[in-house]
Amino acid sequence: QVTLKESGPALVKPTQTLTLTCSFSGFSLNTIGMRVSWIRQPPGKALEWLARIDWNDDKFYNTSLKTRLTISKDTSKNQVVLTMTNMDPVDTATYYCVRTQGTHSDLWFDPWGQGTLVTVSS
Amino acid sequence: QSVLTQPPSASGTPGQRVTISCSGSSSNIGSNTVSWYQQLPGTAPKIIIYSNNHRPSGVPDRFSGSKSGTSASLAISGLQSEDEADYYCAAWDDSLNRVFGGGTKLTVL
């Protein structure tokens, strides 16, 4: 059974850096074809894909947020870490860690973690 | 701003067939596959269609997906009250590295 769980601070101050950790089980990021994405959802708003890391350490970022994001993996711990710099109240959202399956032109997200709500406020 | 365009809302009565559209461009739907996600209130999204028209195990066959050119659609037949949820389409965009539509809120009347 594949599971993913996000962890990190529930509250961050404006201008601070957010660090989120995704701990997963049931698959390995050493396995060819495995990928993990981070996706967020502001309250009452749509989903927004943020970043993805692949088994071969290729990394992809939402172009509008690229300068603020860094994604990395620790395969020995089965963890993926996302950092987002210069946090702003508009970054308040539920952040999801999601296994990403398929090939580059045929990707889908399954399963999803439960999500973690991050509030940006002073 | 979402890279894929969905109607903000849709509705139907129990037993009806409802379709939700998802419009894109050559850099996303036109060159990559589409997946669909159902989000019940207060829960994480769940995949219901992948690779344009494939249903994961456990998803009722009332749900079906299709794609033509730069558009895709999700059809729900035999609408049930438990289908009331937000639905999102997704397709990789090669130029923007964006993925999701703006979502459609489905109401079962």
Side-chain angles (χ1 to χ4, degrees), chain A residues 71-85:
Chain A
I71 192 169
S72 62
K73 61 182 172 72
D74 185 334
T75 52
S76 67
K77 294 182 179 178
N78 278 354
Q79 290 182 335
V80 171
V81 174
L82 180 76
T83 62
M84 180 179 288
T85 61

Side-chain angles (χ1 to χ4, degrees), chain A residues 49-68:
Chain A
W49 176 84
L50 299 176
R52 187 186 99 208
I53 190 164
D54 295 351
W55 77 98
N56 57 2
D57 212 36
D58 280 351
K59 299 164 187 174
F60 301 85
Y61 297 99
N62 183 316
T63 52
S64 63
L65 295 166
K66 185 182 173 79
T67 59
R68 300 175 53 205

Side-chain angles (χ1 to χ4, degrees), chain A residues 1 4 9 11 14 17 19-20 22 24-25 28 31 36 40 46 55 61 67-68 75-76 88 90-91 93 109 115:
Chain A
Q1 181 189 4
L4 305 98
L11 179 67
T17 294
T19 299
L20 293 173
C22 171
F24 58 86
S25 63
S28 171
T31 302
V36 171
R40 72 177 179 180
W55 77 98
Y61 297 99
T67 59
R68 300 175 53 205
T75 52
S76 67
D88 183 273
V90 299
D91 295 314
F109 304 105

